[in-house]
């Protein structure tokens, strides 16, 4: 029995095309996805991302970065939280 809280996947398994009553399946344009080592997944947009709770996040940008580290404050979008932060020298706060 399908879970009503979770939407069904719009993509058929194994890359198979869906058939409709109107005739043979239409071939959708392929999206380019780039996996960055120790970084985000870059997807040519616009994109819609279905989140764990079923909500849909949409971006109309020409390329979007999807977070894979789960540290982003704007998840599912990457905010570069995965990058190591450089330590800066402490400021001298003594009165002059």
């Amino acid at each position: 029995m399908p879970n009503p809280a979770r939407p069904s996947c719009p993509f058929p398994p194994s890359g198979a095309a869906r058939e409709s009553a109107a005739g043979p399946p239409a071939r959708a344009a392929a999206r380019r996805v780039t996996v960055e080592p120790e970084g985000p997944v870059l997807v040519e947009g616009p994109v819609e991302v279905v989140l764990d709770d079923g909500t849909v996040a949409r971006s109309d940008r020409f390329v979007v970065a999807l977070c894979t580290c789960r540290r982003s404050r704007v998840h599912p979008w990457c905010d570069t939280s995965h990058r190591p932060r450089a330590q800066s020298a402490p400021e001298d706060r003594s009165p002059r």
Side-chain angles (χ1 to χ4, degrees), residues 13-83:
S14 306
R18 283 189 186 182
E19 291 194 32
S20 68
R27 185 129 176 134
R31 294 271 181 219
R32 182 172 302 225
V33 176
T34 306
V35 179
E36 295 290 328
E38 298 185 31
V41 173
L42 302 176
V43 182
E44 289 185 1
V47 299
E48 287 184 351
V49 178
V50 179
L51 303 175
D52 293 342
D53 63 359
T55 59
V56 177
R58 179 169 173 75
S59 175
D60 292 322
R61 298 183 65 134
F62 66 95
V63 174
V64 296
L66 298 177
C67 176
T68 58
C69 72
R70 310 256 331 155
R71 292 183 214 148
S72 175
R73 292 185 180 145
V74 291
H75 192 76
W77 318 120
C78 178
D79 67 359
T80 69
S81 293
H82 62 276
R83 293 183 184 166

